[in-house]
Amino acid sequence: MDAHEEPPPAPGMEIQRRAEEEEPRRPPKPRSGGIVSMLSKWQPHKTPKITASVGLYLFGLFVAFVARPPVTITDEMQTRYFEKMEDANSVNVEGRMAAEQALLQAQGDVRDAQVWFWYFAPESRARVAAARGVERLKQGDADVFRRERDNMLREAKGELGLWSSLGIDEAKALFKKSYERGKLFATRSSYYDMFWLIIAGRSDQNMAELLIRWGFTVLSNFTVGMISAIVSFMFALPALISTFATSTASAVAFYFVASVSAASVVLSFLLVFRADLAYDRYEQGKAACGAMHSGLRNLNVAFATFLRVPP
């Protein structure tokens, strides 16, 4: 036997294998997350649709809250505007007032002729048809004066321009009106839905589940209400633009900018509203769960006290 060879193991002795050397653990990679990390890794040229959407969104917010009217109103423009407004209000005042009064009288005659079940009586139906004929004639006479005055008002507003503070303020007032209608619709629908959730709720439904269901209902109602606000604003905007004497290109550009701005404001409202409502529902659900936990713990203590065997 060679001197360098190890002696054979004794009988009954188990041969133990050498433990494999463990590889050194690598330090965990830092998690990538957060808005700052996402923005640092964002490559706009690889996502053109997202880039365009974000750009339009930020552009709309800039127009709505930061940008100033591109047209500055001078003293000469304001003087011409007030002069033409006075001319428009004073043109054919007597004839216009007489036509409007005659139209109101004709409309009253139509309402007076529409008695109960007038459509089924031949005499009443003929009387209503004659009154409506007179109303149409008076309406035509009044429209002549209205068109004349509207054209003069259009020229007067054209002195300041659609892109002046006058046009932008009117567009903002129109959007505010549409926004208030959408918010009112969402609020009323949420109250009605909450009422029916309480009436039709199951007996085994706890408060946390009810609040969560109502939270999703409120989100849906406000989403629908805000979308309807944007649609109504976009439909009413051309009528506002037509009250200014401006070119077609300027009108199309104003419509596009105003629509994008309105959509950006509504989207911001929905994002903030969803985050705030989600946080409120979380806090309410946590409070409800805490109350239920305390109740169960008190009930457990009461049962344990009741079942305790007296010494």
Side-chain angles (χ1 to χ4, degrees):
M1 180 182 296
D2 192 357
H4 296 284
E5 291 183 359
E6 295 181 0
M13 182 182 297
E14 295 181 356
I15 300 175
Q16 297 181 356
R17 298 180 179 179
R18 293 182 178 180
E20 297 180 356
E21 296 181 358
E22 297 181 356
E23 297 181 358
R25 294 182 179 180
R26 297 178 180 179
K29 295 181 179 181
R31 296 181 179 179
S32 60
I35 298 178
V36 177
S37 178
M38 291 175 59
L39 292 177
S40 62
K41 296 180 179 179
W42 181 35
Q43 298 179 355
H45 61 279
K46 291 186 177 181
T47 56
K49 294 183 180 179
I50 298 178
T51 303
S53 301
V54 174
L56 285 177
Y57 171 71
L58 296 178
F59 172 74
L61 292 181
F62 173 78
V63 171
F65 300 108
V66 180
R68 295 182 178 180
V71 176
T72 303
I73 300 177
T74 61
D75 295 337
E76 293 79 6
M77 295 168 59
Q78 193 169 3
T79 301
R80 292 195 302 268
Y81 168 73
F82 284 120
E83 289 178 354
K84 291 190 175 182
M85 288 293 292
E86 291 179 0
D87 294 339
N89 292 326
S90 60
V91 62
N92 295 328
V93 177
E94 297 180 358
R96 188 171 72 250
M97 293 295 104
E100 295 291 342
Q101 187 66 31
L103 177 60
L104 291 176
Q105 183 64 35
Q107 291 174 349
D109 294 340
V110 172
R111 288 192 297 268
D112 294 339
Q114 292 176 345
V115 295
W116 287 93
F117 305 106
W118 62 269
Y119 186 80
F120 300 99
E123 296 180 357
S124 298
R125 192 162 60 245
R127 189 161 50 250
V128 171
R132 285 179 175 174
V134 175
E135 181 187 9
R136 285 192 294 270
L137 293 176
K138 301 302 180 181
Q139 183 71 51
D141 296 338
D143 288 341
V144 172
F145 293 100
R146 290 177 181 177
R147 282 193 296 268
E148 182 181 6
R149 182 175 180 272
D150 290 342
N151 291 332
M152 298 183 68
L153 291 176
R154 186 169 177 268
E155 294 295 332
K157 289 184 176 181
E159 293 294 336
L160 300 182
L162 182 61
W163 295 90
S164 64
S165 58
L166 177 64
I168 293 175
D169 290 343
E170 289 189 6
K172 288 183 178 180
L174 179 62
F175 171 72
K176 184 178 180 181
K177 185 178 179 181
S178 302
Y179 167 79
E180 292 295 336
R181 286 201 299 264
K183 187 174 70 173
L184 181 61
F185 164 80
T187 305
R188 288 179 176 176
S189 300
S190 300
Y191 284 140
Y192 294 153
D193 292 337
M194 185 62 180
F195 173 77
W196 289 113
L197 279 177
I198 296 175
I199 294 298
R202 300 190 306 270
S203 58
D204 59 342
Q205 189 176 24
N206 52 36
M207 181 60 67
E209 184 179 356
L210 180 64
L211 291 175
I212 291 173
R213 289 182 60 189
W214 184 65
F216 282 109
T217 303
V218 171
L219 288 178
S220 302
N221 290 333
F222 270 88
T223 302
V224 174
M226 292 299 101
I227 292 176
S228 65
I230 295 177
V231 173
S232 63
F233 172 74
M234 294 176 67
F235 271 99
L237 190 57
L240 184 146
I241 295 175
S242 64
T243 60
F244 287 82
T246 184
S247 62
T248 304
S250 178
V252 172
F254 187 87
Y255 181 84
F256 173 77
V257 172
S259 300
V260 171
S261 179
S264 299
V265 172
V266 168
L267 180 59
S268 301
F269 170 79
L270 289 177
L271 291 176
V272 174
F273 178 76
R274 284 174 178 268
D276 181 69
L277 187 61
Y279 178 77
D280 290 343
R281 295 293 83 79
Y282 167 75
E283 292 294 333
Q284 292 175 0
K286 186 172 68 174
C289 291
M292 287 188 295
H293 177 71
S294 301
L296 291 175
R297 185 175 57 184
N298 295 334
L299 184 62
N300 187 18
V301 172
F303 269 105
T305 305
F306 177 74
L307 297 176
R308 183 180 300 172
V309 179

